[in-house]
Amino acid sequence: MESLNDTTWDVLISGTGPAQSLLALALSRSGKKVLHIDQNDYYGGAEAAFSLQEAETWVEQANAASQSTPLSQASIRRPPSNEQSPDARLGFSRAYSISLAPKLIYTRSNLIPALVSSKVYRQLEFLAVGSWWLYDRVASAQSEWSDARENIAEVEGPAKLRKIPGGREDVFADKSIDLRSTRSLMKFLKLAADFETYSTVLPEWGERPFIEYLESQFKIDARLQAPLLALTLSPDPPSKTTVAYALPRIHRHLTSIGIFGPGFGAVIPKWGGLAEIAQVACRAGAVGGGVYVLKKGIESVELPYLTSESPLSTEDADSHMVKVQLQGGDTVKARWIIGTPAAFPKSHDPEPTMDTTETTHLTAVISSPLTSLFLPPAEGSPPPAGVVVVLPPDSLQVPSSLDVSEVPAIYLMIHSSDTGECPEGQCIIYTSTSLLHPSASDLLSSAIQTLLSTVDNESSSNPEILWSLTYKQNHPAVSSSSSLPPEEAPPTADVTENQKCGILHLKDLGPSLALEDEVLRNVRAVWERITADDGDSRGGFMQFEDREGLGGEGEEF
């Protein structure tokens, strides 16, 4: 094939995260000549998955990076081995696939039909996320959800994990909820499940606290507010989580349950989360003619001098290409350059004054499978490979320098060995927090220890952390004072309306624990911009016919 320098590309995409990889696939199958590069020597970018040895290498690279990167301050900890416990041993390195982006994918996500229509789903395996559990610090076998919760910080008593109701059937089945509370919950769940109904609430209540809304409009007390708050996946404390943020996300949760099977409403990709989707999309894009090169990042970009008065014309197309200097000395020409802001030099930052937020991540390999958590959420449900445990703020060991009212809940996403992320007999716990405090990682660690001391364990030895990875991640600021993204998410661009070349920016996936629909909407918006003049020849977005001899059931690309 021609060298990179000698080829004129329609599109250069930098980064191999899921958004970039799906875009490369869509464009290559729409007839565009695509060069897809990544400055790393692995696929996935900030959504990659690693073996233990690869994680060690990644930590060194992340901490040695000379320029600002989304991931930083990484460290790995291996607690001293317990010689008395045969279970307390790590497996070999490649028995693990540690994900940097273990996001939930709701069954109503716009990603799933896109994977089906593009035939990409044939090379993927999705596993059910089962029950959601709430850590209740003052629960006991005889306690009721409706009990008062005064002086919670001073209470010393038994703790319990309680299943979070996922719908009306769960509410009726929970005998610990009294009749009055059951009626209040049913009334709220009916409203949240109906988009048209809850939309009428937002003009008056949208920017007010969700907990205030539950108390005022439904007389739902603090004990029952906690499980509803858990379903919002809010990165903010309860007092700062608004109705406009909470209702759409609870609606998403409720209406996703039962689509692919009873009792569950979310799935996770096997073998490393979103990294697996990115790699499969890259392989499919290569079949469509895309060219992939690792260890090639963007060093500089030279934009053509164009204005709305002098747009690109057919005659001078070659002189109006974007010139890109790549790592290693290659200089390529492309009509469009696409990537997240982190893929470009600072001189081409689309929003240099954009607010950012920092998330602290902790991933831990656990010596026990924690089998008691992985119960089928309903009769006829598939065996779950993932569960979610939520620790409300008042159940956390909050440092004295912090007010508990300013601390968000902590979510523990637990993956079993069925995901392919760890050996049999172990599990992986992923957790993170948006709390900006020096003790953020300690808070995450104590949350994991709290769970391990609470959950029933079938083994003779207590479950323990065998290996852990901690790192920081910078994102564009996201607040739970806003609702779900609008239906259309146009790309930011270093182009005028009439231009036919330039830089288009994909959005960062953000800190949400679930994959938001905005990600694929943004990918589609960029695809539509680039293929706008192609008419019917571009085909539908992520809608591909089978190619003869390729992509059949069970076949590799």
Side-chain angles (χ1 to χ4, degrees), residues 29-47:
R29 295 295 291 268
S30 294
K32 299 301 180 184
K33 187 174 289 187
V34 177
L35 174 61
H36 195 175
I37 64 173
D38 196 308
Q39 64 181 346
N40 302 305
D41 58 359
Y42 54 84
Y43 288 93
E47 292 79 45

Side-chain angles (χ1 to χ4, degrees), residues 235-248:
D236 287 342
S239 62
K240 295 183 179 179
T241 299
T242 65
V243 173
Y245 186 91
L247 280 181

Side-chain angles (χ1 to χ4, degrees), residues 72-220:
S72 62
Q73 300 182 50
S75 63
I76 289 175
R77 183 171 181 267
R78 294 173 181 255
S81 60
N82 183 353
E83 299 297 337
Q84 304 301 317
S85 172
D87 297 328
R89 297 192 185 97
L90 282 172
F92 62 93
S93 171
R94 301 207 67 83
Y96 299 85
S97 183
I98 306 297
S99 174
L100 296 181
K103 293 182 181 290
L104 302 173
I105 301 177
Y106 276 99
T107 57
R108 291 182 61 87
S109 167
N110 60 3
L111 175 65
I112 292 178
L115 295 177
V116 172
S117 64
S118 64
K119 313 297 189 292
V120 169
Y121 77 98
R122 293 172 174 168
Q123 276 65 44
L124 293 167
E125 183 176 350
F126 289 96
L127 304 170
V129 176
S131 297
W132 289 49
W133 302 93
L134 184 74
Y135 178 83
D136 191 359
R137 183 173 179 175
V138 296
S140 67
Q142 291 78 34
S143 72
E144 294 188 359
W145 280 100
S146 56
D147 287 349
R149 237 183 151 169
E150 288 127 15
N151 302 320
I152 179 69
E154 287 74 42
V155 172
E156 295 292 335
K160 189 174 184 180
L161 294 177
R162 304 192 69 103
K163 183 180 178 183
I164 296 175
R168 290 184 292 180
E169 294 80 4
D170 289 340
V171 174
F172 280 122
D174 193 337
K175 302 304 181 183
S176 69
I177 305 177
D178 63 37
L179 182 59
R180 182 189 65 80
S181 297
T182 296
R183 290 172 178 169
S184 297
L185 272 178
M186 295 298 296
K187 183 180 178 182
F188 171 77
L189 293 175
K190 181 178 179 181
L191 176 140
D194 189 307
F195 173 79
E196 292 185 0
T197 302
Y198 85 68
S199 295
T200 63
V201 171
L202 299 182
E204 177 183 358
W205 281 91
E207 300 309 311
R208 295 164 71 176
F210 180 54
I211 54 177
E212 178 185 332
Y213 173 69
L214 293 176
E215 174 63 33
S216 171
Q217 300 300 301
F218 297 93
K219 308 303 180 187
I220 295 176

Side-chain angles (χ1 to χ4, degrees), residues 33 46 80 134 175 252 366 404 419 427 449 509 544 547:
K33 187 174 289 187
L134 184 74
K175 302 304 181 183
R252 174 179 62 183
I366 306 301
V404 71
T419 62
C427 68
Q449 294 293 353
L509 262 61
F544 312 142
R547 295 191 170 191

Side-chain angles (χ1 to χ4, degrees), residues 301-313:
V301 177
E302 181 183 338
L303 289 168
Y305 180 74
L306 293 175
T307 68
S308 57
E309 290 75 29
S310 61
L312 184 71
S313 65

